[in-house]
Amino acid sequence: MQQTGLPLNSLAIEPAINRHALVVAPDIPLTDVLALMSRARSRCVLPNSNSRIDAAEENSNFDPLIHQLAVDEEVASDAAGCVLVVQEKQLVGIFTNRDIVRLTAAGTSLTNLTIADVLPKQLISLNQSTSHDIFTVISLFRQHHIRHLPIIADDGEIVGIVTHESIRKVLQPVNLLTRLRLVSNVIDILDRVAAETALRKSESQLREQATRLEQTLQKLQKTQTQLIHTGKMSSLGQLVAGIAHEINNPINFIYGNITYADQYIQDIVHLLQLYKNYYPEPVPEIVEVAEDIDLDFVNRDLPKLLGSMKLGADRIRDLVLSLRNFVRLDEAEMKYVNIHDGIESTLSILQNQLKAKPGRSEIQVIKDYAKLPSVECHAGQLNQVFMNILSNAIDALEIQHNSTAIRQLLTTSVQQINCGGLETQIERAEDFPWILISTEVLANNWVAIRIADNGNGMSEEICNRLFDPFFTTKPVGEGKGLGLSISYQIVTEKHGGQIKCISQPGQGAEFVIEIPIQQQNHSGSLAIA
Ligand SMILES: Nc1ncnc2c1ncn2[C@@H]1O[C@H](COP(=O)(O)OP(=O)(O)O)[C@@H](O)[C@H]1O
Ligand SMILES: [Mg+2]
């Protein structure tokens, strides 16, 4: 067999030649050939079986010309599909599975026939040559509708057979190329997937950036609010503190001297009385002046007049104290203070706004104070929170209770309210505007301050935006939308507390402020004066 000089590339026939074909002599009985083919097939390992029958051993009575050369299952199955009929080293025919089908279909009795009797007339074979390649074989297969092609050497000897199966195996590298192409397609897809992933990643990065931008914007808005507020408050605070200070001095003169003035006047009145007793008949000029000035009336009225002057001076002193207490410019550090004092000073500043107005009855302030310990806080800032919430409550009551036909009940209500418990007070108070301020010590060493009103209340949508900077439902010029956002910052950021609002339209509103009695870190510096 000639092996040298053949192209060893993937298209050469050489690698596809099966050299283990079954070879028989022409006079071998057909039945023996069929048995041989069957035996050759049975050498193949059946699925899930290890048993293998050695055809050569079992058929030792076959003609010695029979070459049972199959050495492995694949070669055996390949070779079992056909038998080469050889006489004196020359190929005389090829008998294949297809011939068995042909004979069976024709109803031919297979006994008493030799293989030579049933060989197909046409013998197609291929001479071994370097000019032939696998495509020559494939075209012969197609042209003659055959699946086995004997290859004949130059000297006429049989080299082996080429079958569909052997060609398939040889072409596997070509398949590999196809697979490689597939792989390259897969790489393309992978590239695309990678690009898509990168796109998605950059998309999510963009989204992240947008979120961060939004957060920065919110922070900016907050800072802006704070700056406006800080600016406003520091100048307003300074102004208020300045005025308070300026008023404080003269009012102290008045307040301090009123006691002496009272004393002096009482002395003078006493002296006049003495004159009157000892000189009951004064000269006509004195009688005339006494009548002119209505001395008796002056005598009666003067103590009252002094009393009301003292009351007025008292009020001014309280107000000045409240103003100073409210602004607390002098207290940059956190201090332990009485929260109720802060609420009270805020209320006294708002006193005028609580009074009855045309179209609205007086706002009743109902207090339910618990016994609170001193709370560590920036008192001035916290008072600012009370001020913002109370001012909003007054505004809300203005809207809800702005009716001229409002309850006459009010005239008697204050005294009646003072007689009843809190529940009764609220029950009775349904018809007039009220603000309820209650305080409570919470279990976790926090305190809660609740400020509720029976104003117009809020929708859920407003409730959700309440603490946003610049959010207002009030007409332009009336609302700035800063009060609650500043209050939120003061409570949460400056005091580590919480602030929330519970409200429904037409049901009033309740603001709950919760702050720790003692602050965790003492570093909080005052951003707002
Ligand atoms: N007690 C309340 N009852 C009803 N609405 C309220 C109350 N408190 C606050 N609001 C609503 O919250 C909005 C924001 O309040 P705020 O931040 O103080 O700004 P402003 O008072 O300038 O509007 C108000 O415009 C109002 O709609
Ligand atoms: Mg407000």
Side-chain angles (χ1 to χ4, degrees):
M1 280 177 226
Q2 194 178 334
Q3 283 197 0
T4 50
L6 289 173
L8 284 174
N9 59 50
S10 61
L11 299 179
I13 299 174
E14 185 62 21
I17 299 174
N18 185 343
R19 296 169 198 279
H20 305 289
L22 298 171
V23 179
V24 294
D27 54 350
I28 290 289
L30 176 62
T31 47
D32 285 353
V33 172
L34 294 179
L36 176 67
M37 288 168 81
S38 154
R39 287 287 165 181
R41 257 196 307 274
S42 71
R43 278 180 64 95
C44 313
V45 176
L46 298 169
N48 302 323
S49 158
N50 290 325
S51 63
R52 209 166 96 152
I53 304 161
D54 193 323
E57 274 170 31
E58 297 233 348
N59 293 285
S60 48
N61 54 347
F62 283 147
D63 191 288
L65 263 176
I66 295 168
H67 299 278
Q68 180 50 283
L69 298 173
V71 287
D72 65 45
E73 292 80 12
E74 270 187 68
V75 171
S77 75
D78 207 5
C82 74
V83 171
L84 300 177
V85 184
V86 175
Q87 192 169 35
E88 291 164 12
K89 294 190 178 180
Q90 295 296 307
L91 180 72
V92 291
I94 175 166
F95 183 78
T96 69
N97 283 338
R98 223 178 248 181
D99 295 315
I100 299 174
V101 175
R102 175 174 53 86
L103 291 173
T104 317
T108 313
S109 163
L110 304 180
T111 47
N112 303 324
L113 289 173
T114 64
I115 187 71
D117 296 332
V118 292
L119 281 178
K121 303 226 160 32
Q122 201 182 13
L123 171 61
I124 297 142
S125 63
L126 183 69
N127 289 332
Q128 196 174 32
S129 158
T130 50
S131 61
H132 298 317
D133 60 14
I134 275 179
F135 295 111
T136 320
V137 177
I138 292 172
S139 74
L140 281 171
F141 278 170
R142 286 212 183 115
Q143 195 183 339
H144 299 285
H145 303 287
I146 54 171
R147 297 176 71 84
H148 303 82
L149 185 69
I151 307 295
I152 313 293
D154 286 344
D155 57 5
E157 265 200 40
I158 304 159
V159 180
I161 53 168
V162 177
T163 65
H164 259 231
E165 186 58 18
S166 65
I167 284 179
R168 192 183 61 78
K169 277 185 208 143
V170 169
L171 283 179
Q172 250 167 10
V174 177
N175 284 346
L176 209 65
L177 273 176
T178 316
R179 269 185 226 153
L180 269 176
R181 231 170 278 136
L182 272 178
V183 167
S184 90
N185 284 349
V186 170
I187 288 171
D188 274 359
I189 291 167
L190 282 178
D191 279 352
R192 236 177 293 142
V193 169
E196 268 170 32
T197 314
L199 201 72
R200 238 172 275 138
K201 205 174 155 191
S202 71
E203 232 174 30
S204 83
Q205 273 173 347
L206 267 177
R207 231 174 287 135
E208 245 173 56
Q209 271 178 349
T211 316
R212 247 181 279 142
L213 261 175
E214 207 169 301
Q215 283 168 353
T216 316
L217 194 72
Q218 277 173 4
K219 250 192 211 162
L220 261 173
Q221 269 192 335
K222 261 189 180 182
T223 319
Q224 189 189 8
T225 317
Q226 209 165 10
L227 278 175
I228 293 171
H229 181 68
T230 311
K232 262 191 191 169
M233 277 310 285
S234 62
S235 51
L236 190 72
Q238 274 159 9
L239 190 76
V240 168
I243 292 171
H245 180 75
E246 289 305 319
I247 295 173
N248 203 33
N249 282 341
I251 208 65
N252 273 342
F253 306 152
I254 298 169
Y255 190 82
N257 290 332
I258 275 178
T259 323
Y260 298 109
D262 191 24
Q263 189 60 51
Y264 298 160
I265 284 166
Q266 278 180 29
D267 291 348
I268 293 166
V269 169
H270 182 61
L271 183 69
L272 276 175
Q273 199 56 47
L274 279 178
Y275 271 115
K276 211 177 168 185
N277 290 347
Y278 290 102
Y279 303 100
E281 299 297 329
V283 293
E285 196 183 340
I286 291 177
V287 173
E288 201 177 320
V289 172
E291 273 175 10
D292 269 2
I293 63 170
D294 199 354
L295 191 66
D296 285 344
F297 175 78
V298 171
N299 263 345
R300 283 195 315 272
D301 201 40
L302 205 56
K304 283 189 208 160
L305 193 136
L306 278 167
S308 67
M309 277 171 70
K310 195 163 176 280
L311 203 76
D314 263 345
R315 282 233 193 111
I316 296 171
R317 230 168 56 132
D318 282 353
L319 198 64
V320 167
L321 205 74
S322 291
L323 281 175
R324 290 171 72 108
N325 191 18
F326 179 79
V327 181
R328 293 226 185 199
L329 273 183
D330 41 341
E331 289 171 14
E333 294 299 315
M334 285 235 180
K335 277 195 176 156
Y336 282 93
V337 297
N338 183 342
I339 293 279
H340 296 148
D341 283 352
I343 299 172
E344 287 301 319
S345 63
T346 312
L347 282 172
S348 66
I349 292 169
L350 289 171
Q351 200 58 48
N352 193 45
Q353 295 184 51
L354 296 170
K355 284 183 190 151
K357 283 181 170 187
R360 199 242 307 129
S361 323
E362 182 176 348
I363 296 169
Q364 299 301 310
V365 179
I366 306 159
K367 296 167 198 166
D368 181 26
Y369 290 164
K371 204 171 174 311
L372 286 194
S374 295
V375 175
E376 192 184 11
C377 62
H378 294 296
Q381 291 186 30
L382 220 51
N383 292 345
Q384 179 67 42
V385 174
F386 301 146
M387 173 67 98
N388 290 337
I389 294 176
L390 286 167
S391 305
N392 284 342
I394 293 169
D395 289 347
L397 290 167
E398 201 76 48
I399 300 168
Q400 182 79 350
H401 296 264
N402 190 4
S403 155
T404 43
I406 222 149
R407 353 290 160 196
Q408 293 309 311
L409 168 96
L410 241 198
T411 42
T412 49
S413 65
V414 184
Q415 279 154 359
Q416 284 174 3
I417 279 168
N418 290 339
C419 303
L422 186 70
E423 295 303 317
T424 344
Q425 290 180 39
I426 294 170
E427 221 171 83
R428 286 182 191 169
E430 279 311 320
D431 284 342
F432 56 86
W434 53 256
I435 291 174
L436 169 65
I437 307 172
S438 58
T439 57
E440 187 191 347
V441 181
L442 303 175
N444 51 357
N445 263 346
W446 281 40
V447 290
I449 301 117
R450 297 190 173 85
I451 300 174
D453 62 68
N454 64 340
N456 61 331
M458 283 163 264
S459 66
E460 198 186 332
E461 198 202 337
I462 294 180
C463 256
N464 290 338
R465 302 186 54 198
L466 209 60
F467 299 108
D468 289 354
F470 306 107
F471 173 77
T472 182
T473 56
K474 294 172 191 169
V476 182
E478 271 184 43
K480 300 273 179 299
L482 287 178
L484 289 181
S485 75
I486 287 161
S487 302
Y488 186 86
Q489 277 178 52
I490 292 174
V491 174
T492 58
E493 286 169 27
K494 304 283 174 202
H495 293 87
Q498 292 167 8
I499 181 169
K500 64 179 176 196
C501 173
I502 306 155
S503 182
Q504 269 179 16
Q507 300 289 307
E510 182 183 33
F511 284 85
V512 186
I513 302 157
E514 292 178 358
I515 51 168
I517 292 171
Q518 190 171 19
Q519 292 295 317
Q520 293 298 311
N521 63 24
H522 293 258
S523 59
S525 66
L526 250 187
I528 300 164

